[in-house]
Amino acid sequence: MMSALAVPSADASAAPSAQAAKVVIEAVNVTKRFSESVIAVEGASFSVEKGSFVSLVGPSGCGKSTLLRLIAGLIPMTSGTLTVNGREVDAPRKDVGMMFQRPTLLEWRTAVENVLLPTEMTRKPTTDDKKRAIELLRMTGLKDFEFAFPRQLSGGMQQRVALARLLQTGAEILLLDEPFGALDEFTRERLNLELLRIVDEIRATTLFVTHNISEAIFLADRVMVMTPRPGRLAQIVDVPFRRPREISLLQSPEFNELVTEVRAILGAGA
Amino acid sequence: MSTTFETTLPEQAVQEKGETRATRIGKHIALFLVVIGAWECVSAFGWVDQLILPRPSAIAVSLVNLAFIQGNVWWHFGVTLYEALAGFVIGSAIGIALAIAAGLNESFRRYISPYIVAIQVTPRIALAPIVIAWLGFGIGPKIGIAALICFFPPFINTLTGLLNVDEDALEMFHSLGAKKSQIFWRLMLPNAMPIIMAGLKTAISLALIGAIVGEFISASEGMGVLMQRYTFSLNMASSFAVLVMLTVMGYILFVLTEAADNWLVFWRHDARMVALSKKKARNWRVD
Ligand SMILES: Nc1ncnc2c1ncn2[C@@H]1O[C@H](COP(=O)(O)OP(=O)(O)O)[C@@H](O)[C@H]1O
Ligand SMILES: [Mg+2]
């Protein structure tokens, strides 16, 4: 179980369902070096199935954000192959959306105007676009705050707007980089549960970055464990618990066993 | 930074302020009267020469005389105001346009940066006689001097604001596949607005200084001309009356830029932001 994962096929046997699920993200030996000495990601190979929720967990600085940026097409990789929906990644694309730790809202725009930003990149928002934006704000729990400016919203609410904006892109692959990492424990827990409900509802494929082990396990079908210097995928762990997940899962012995297992992998890599 | 959405908060704040404001204004008036009264006494008892410091009552009489009885002061007032405003508009437009070019084009920015430093360290007011020599004696050179003196703060503030973009926001735009023009109009420019407005506030008072310096050097009309005329004839009360009118002019210009700031950079002014949020909610239509 401790060996570094080298080939993408190694996790195929671990898939819970026997039917061959469609792979939407496929990475083979993806490497990113920023300089001779800084190798942020080295030889990462993995695949993400359509509709699945995959967590990427590891200590800070191990290359999680870099890996996500590579998949989003924001930065070029040094070597390897990376395909999304069967197409090589070379630039940001419509089918992939990204959300960051900071809400990055435009403070001169109301919540709904912020949500409409992705649409404006391609066209003048139509009636349907606007209806959809309002609907998404309600879905993310911001009914009655559609016309509030960011400074009128709490940190958690701002991140809800950012989530609605991400959903407005219509992307079916969601890359979330510690999306609730800057929020307090309670808010984060609640938003995590709502995120699960929402991605289920829209059948998105989700790659969720966190440095919190139990959060990673609680949310995901599969946890990719990453270790630093150089950033490597140490192991990919399947999470067997049924959906929808309940908060009580956090107390179960099976859950805690898995937390211990992941912690051991991280400890061995450090 | 993050405040909870609370519609009743701003009104409450205003009410609280209103209570203390009455007493505060009272104290200001009292202090003002004490200072003026002391000044009046000092002059009346002959402790200070009237030619150095005229009595407030004499200044008031001159002011009424200039403004309402003679009346021609308004022409000069208008000339100076026009020079300052025109200089401000031209100087700011040039400053902002240059800054946008420099902000968007890195090599242009590199080429002009030594000249920016040179302009920054040169006392630009020293160029005033040269401008007069170039443009002659009408209103034009005063506008030119005002523009010259005031263009720098809008320039440097706009450039700073455009370059000071949040990296994460920029990355978010890139992840949405934004074009360069979309990033400029939707992120860089609005993001720079608060600091651009701060530059404009400085520029407007500099423009007024420029206009008056231009009038000092050579002019036949304007408040600077009146000021020189009265001091040369040792009519100190009228000189001070002109100064008071210039203070009023400066204040009007300042209030106008404050209002523009309040209107344009609404997201930094809580009361206006809340009002706009409500207005947008009322006017929301999906068509
Ligand atoms: N743009 C960059 N230039 C140089 N080094 C970078 C850059 N971005 C990240 N790194 C380095 O790559 C490593 C991984 O960073 P990152 O992916 O942000 O880690 P994580 O998200 O897991 O905290 C770190 O050592 C970081 O300093
Ligand atoms: Mg990170």
Side-chain angles (χ1 to χ4, degrees), chain A residues 11-112:
Chain A
D11 64 295
S13 60
S17 64
Q19 295 116 356
K22 193 184 159 216
V23 169
V24 286
I25 304 175
E26 174 103 66
V28 182
N29 271 320
V30 169
T31 296
K32 174 70 188 181
R33 36 175 95 221
F34 285 106
S35 64
E36 272 312 306
S37 56
V38 183
I39 306 168
V41 178
E42 184 171 65
S45 298
F46 61 91
S47 54
V48 175
E49 285 156 13
K50 191 170 175 60
S52 65
F53 195 120
V54 175
S55 289
L56 181 57
V57 69
S60 91
C62 73
K64 307 182 295 293
S65 296
T66 304
L67 188 53
L68 232 55
R69 284 196 179 97
L70 288 168
I71 300 169
L74 287 167
I75 51 174
M77 59 186 163
T78 312
S79 65
T81 52
L82 182 57
T83 54
V84 171
N85 278 333
R87 209 154 51 80
E88 192 100 13
V89 175
D90 52 1
R93 38 198 281 174
K94 286 271 155 289
D95 48 354
V96 180
M98 187 153 175
M99 178 170 167
F100 306 88
Q101 180 167 8
R102 289 181 46 225
T104 64
L105 299 181
L106 306 178
E107 43 173 352
W108 47 88
R109 285 175 172 238
T110 59
V112 68

Side-chain angles (χ1 to χ4, degrees), chain A residues 215-257:
Chain A
E215 181 178 81
I217 297 171
F218 179 77
L219 295 172
D221 304 310
R222 185 177 286 177
V223 177
M224 305 203 293
V225 185
M226 212 169 167
T227 52
R229 275 177 297 276
R232 280 174 179 280
L233 287 185
Q235 198 160 311
I236 296 176
V237 178
D238 277 302
V239 181
F241 311 118
R242 259 186 303 111
R243 294 192 176 280
R245 305 265 165 92
E246 307 286 340
I247 268 295
S248 58
L249 177 63
L250 293 170
Q251 261 77 52
S252 77
E254 295 85 355
F255 182 86
N256 285 301
E257 234 165 72

Side-chain angles (χ1 to χ4, degrees), chain A residues 69 74 92 94 98 100 102 104 106-110 112-113 116-118 120-121 126-127 130-131 134 145 147-149 151-155 158 165 169, chain B residues 1-5 166 168-169 171-179 182 186-187 190-191 266-270 273-274 276-277 280-281 284-287:
Chain A
R69 284 196 179 97
L74 287 167
K94 286 271 155 289
M98 187 153 175
F100 306 88
R102 289 181 46 225
T104 64
L106 306 178
E107 43 173 352
W108 47 88
R109 285 175 172 238
T110 59
V112 68
E113 288 167 348
L116 281 166
L117 182 73
E120 290 173 25
M121 297 298 134
T126 62
T127 306
K130 292 178 182 179
K131 280 185 184 152
I134 295 278
F145 293 93
F147 304 99
F149 286 95
R151 280 207 309 123
Q152 296 173 291
L153 300 171
S154 68
Q158 292 186 19
R165 180 181 61 194
T169 63
Chain B
M1 270 296 279
S2 51
T3 51
T4 347
F5 187 72
D166 181 41
D168 295 352
E171 187 154 64
M172 185 269 293
F173 269 81
H174 285 145
S175 80
L176 296 176
K179 292 195 281 279
Q182 291 172 323
R186 289 178 169 75
L187 177 63
N191 182 61
F266 57 84
W267 62 96
R268 294 285 168 88
H269 301 275
D270 286 352
M273 180 176 72
V274 170
L276 195 62
S277 164
K280 280 178 181 272
W284 175 259
R285 280 184 315 177
V286 284
D287 53 30

